[in-house]
Amino acid sequence: MDAAAPDDTVLDFAFHEARLRGARVRAIHGWDLPPAFAVVGFLPSGAEMAQLQVAEEKALAAALAAHRERHPGTEVVEEARLGAARTLVEDSAGAALVVVGRRRRPHDLGPRLGRIAHAVLHHAQAPVAVVPHD
């Protein structure tokens, strides 16, 4: 999930499916380095990486807080890791269902799927549900 821009439609779908299956929600937030690091052309130090990791974990917890309250009987495991598409594809091996979002486009030009949903659809080792959202 995108912790920076969580969508209730996608999260509601994931929690509903988990309840129906008697499963837990494993909310994986795969994050990428901020674009500034690519422009400058160097990797952050270990301390900077730790700070980025903590910030991403906090964003994930905040994004899931309301859903945890609405679904108290559903176990939730949170995980924030570097590498958005790769993380979801690798972790799909142990999943009963992988849920990804797809933003609706205001026009018909360009790709209908983003890079992460595209990668998951083509490489996941479990069934994939693509949930359109605004």
Side-chain angles (χ1 to χ4, degrees):
M1 66 173 284
D2 183 354
D7 185 85
D8 284 341
T9 305
V10 178
L11 290 169
D12 287 340
F13 182 89
F15 274 85
H16 177 74
E17 285 296 315
R19 186 177 50 78
L20 288 176
R21 298 165 187 262
R24 68 181 178 189
V25 170
R26 186 168 177 218
I28 299 172
H29 169 54
W31 57 279
D32 293 318
L33 289 174
F37 286 104
V39 172
V40 175
F42 70 93
L43 291 175
S45 68
E48 291 169 323
M49 282 297 288
Q51 288 176 339
L52 289 168
Q53 179 69 30
V54 167
E56 297 296 336
E57 289 170 354
K58 286 181 181 179
L60 177 58
L64 290 170
H67 290 276
R68 282 180 172 271
E69 288 179 20
R70 284 198 298 262
H71 305 276
T74 302
E75 178 186 357
V76 180
V77 176
E78 299 175 16
E79 190 172 343
R81 292 202 336 242
L82 184 62
R86 179 182 40 103
T87 294
L88 292 173
V89 169
E90 287 174 356
D91 289 353
S92 70
L97 178 67
V98 178
V99 178
V100 294
R102 178 189 67 82
R103 287 187 178 88
R104 290 187 177 102
R105 307 273 185 221
H107 48 72
D108 289 335
L109 301 174
R112 297 205 180 260
L113 289 178
R115 66 180 181 85
I116 295 170
H118 185 268
V120 172
L121 272 174
H122 285 278
H123 301 288
Q125 298 176 42
V128 178
V130 180
V131 180
H133 63 90
D134 294 326

